[in-house]
Amino acid sequence: MPYLDQNAIIPKAKLTKYLLVRLPKDDKSLFLAKAGYTLENWQQLAEDIKTQILPLEATPSFNNEFGQKYEIDGEIIGINGVVLAVTTVWIKTPTETRFVTLVPRLRRIK
């Protein structure tokens, strides 16, 4: 399995306007709050995704006109020490690798 570019982009808006905002559907903010992540410390979440998840092996999921998508399963140790099991989705285009989203995993990685 491949490893993704360690200089991958994690767009601020993905965190501050989606993942860390309470949403009526598919809310991730309460899940991330368990590990201490909030809008006030979004930079720490970005750093933790980049240092704790991005170095792990990526699994190709599907390819479309926008690029090749990959999933990385792993665990994030939050600000408060709580461990979250997550799946992250990334897209690789000819010019960049970019973070798409993060979802809770139902089971922890062994």
Side-chain angles (χ1 to χ4, degrees), residues 81-99:
V82 170
V83 177
L84 300 177
V86 299
T87 296
T88 58
V89 179
W90 305 79
I91 189 163
K92 185 175 176 134
T93 69
T95 58
E96 68 182 13
T97 300
R98 188 174 63 251
F99 174 76

Side-chain angles (χ1 to χ4, degrees), residues 9-47:
I9 298 165
I10 299 177
K12 176 182 177 182
K14 287 285 184 178
L15 306 180
T16 62
K17 298 191 183 303
Y18 176 62
L19 288 178
L20 294 171
V21 176
R22 185 76 190 261
L23 300 171
K25 184 179 176 187
D26 296 328
D27 179 65
K28 315 279 187 322
S29 66
L30 293 176
F31 172 72
L32 292 166
K34 292 178 189 176
Y37 298 112
T38 66
L39 275 174
E40 289 72 36
N41 60 24
W42 69 268
Q43 298 96 332
Q44 187 63 54
L45 176 58
E47 180 67 19

Side-chain angles (χ1 to χ4, degrees), residues 37-95:
Y37 298 112
T38 66
L39 275 174
E40 289 72 36
N41 60 24
W42 69 268
Q43 298 96 332
Q44 187 63 54
L45 176 58
E47 180 67 19
D48 290 349
I49 291 170
K50 200 165 231 183
T51 60
Q52 297 180 41
I53 300 296
L54 189 55
L56 303 175
E57 289 186 52
T59 304
S61 55
F62 66 92
N63 197 346
N64 62 23
E65 66 272 15
F66 302 109
Q68 173 68 53
K69 286 198 176 177
Y70 291 88
E71 293 182 1
I72 301 177
D73 294 331
E75 295 180 340
I76 292 181
I77 302 169
I79 295 168
N80 59 10
V82 170
V83 177
L84 300 177
V86 299
T87 296
T88 58
V89 179
W90 305 79
I91 189 163
K92 185 175 176 134
T93 69
T95 58

